[in-house]
Amino acid sequence: MLSRPQIHLSRSWAVSTVDVAKAKTNLSKLVKAVETGAEREIIITRDGRPAVRLIALGTDARPPLLGIAKGQFEVPETIDEDNEEIARLFNGED
């Protein structure tokens, strides 16, 4: 079986980055990675600084902010229930 050449992308906060020289050489592979969803977005850097963001058309490269933690927290009936204890702890009282 033939092995495909790999493009080595560095990851920063789950976003892939590639320098402009490697992007020039591997542009079609980078475009395919974004088009197919293998990469959400790719940042192309020049001299180590972000220069361009490669994203698929018709998509929003930023993750949704509203509802990002949905179902991860239990909402109490009231947020005022422990106010006295919290005040005591902030004031250093035991």
Side-chain angles (χ1 to χ4, degrees):
M1 178 176 268
L2 296 174
S3 63
R4 282 194 260 162
Q6 298 275 326
I7 305 168
H8 296 288
L9 301 171
S10 63
R11 293 198 173 263
S12 172
W13 292 92
V15 174
S16 298
T17 60
V18 63
D19 68 82
V20 72
K22 288 182 182 176
K24 182 179 176 183
T25 303
N26 297 292
L27 184 59
S28 62
K29 293 174 187 170
L30 296 173
V31 169
K32 185 175 182 176
V34 172
E35 280 181 325
T36 62
E39 297 288 339
R40 187 176 51 115
E41 71 178 41
I42 297 172
I43 302 296
I44 300 173
T45 61
R46 182 188 306 271
D47 299 325
R49 292 186 302 251
V52 176
R53 181 183 343 175
L54 181 62
I55 62 169
L57 289 177
T59 64
D60 185 3
R62 291 171 281 162
L65 297 179
L66 293 175
I68 198 166
K70 186 175 182 177
Q72 295 183 16
F73 300 96
E74 190 174 313
V75 180
E77 290 290 324
T78 176
I79 61 170
D80 297 321
E81 187 175 295
D82 297 316
N83 282 353
E84 290 178 22
E85 181 181 358
I86 292 170
R88 190 175 48 76
L89 292 170
F90 269 103
N91 292 325
E93 302 168 9
D94 285 326

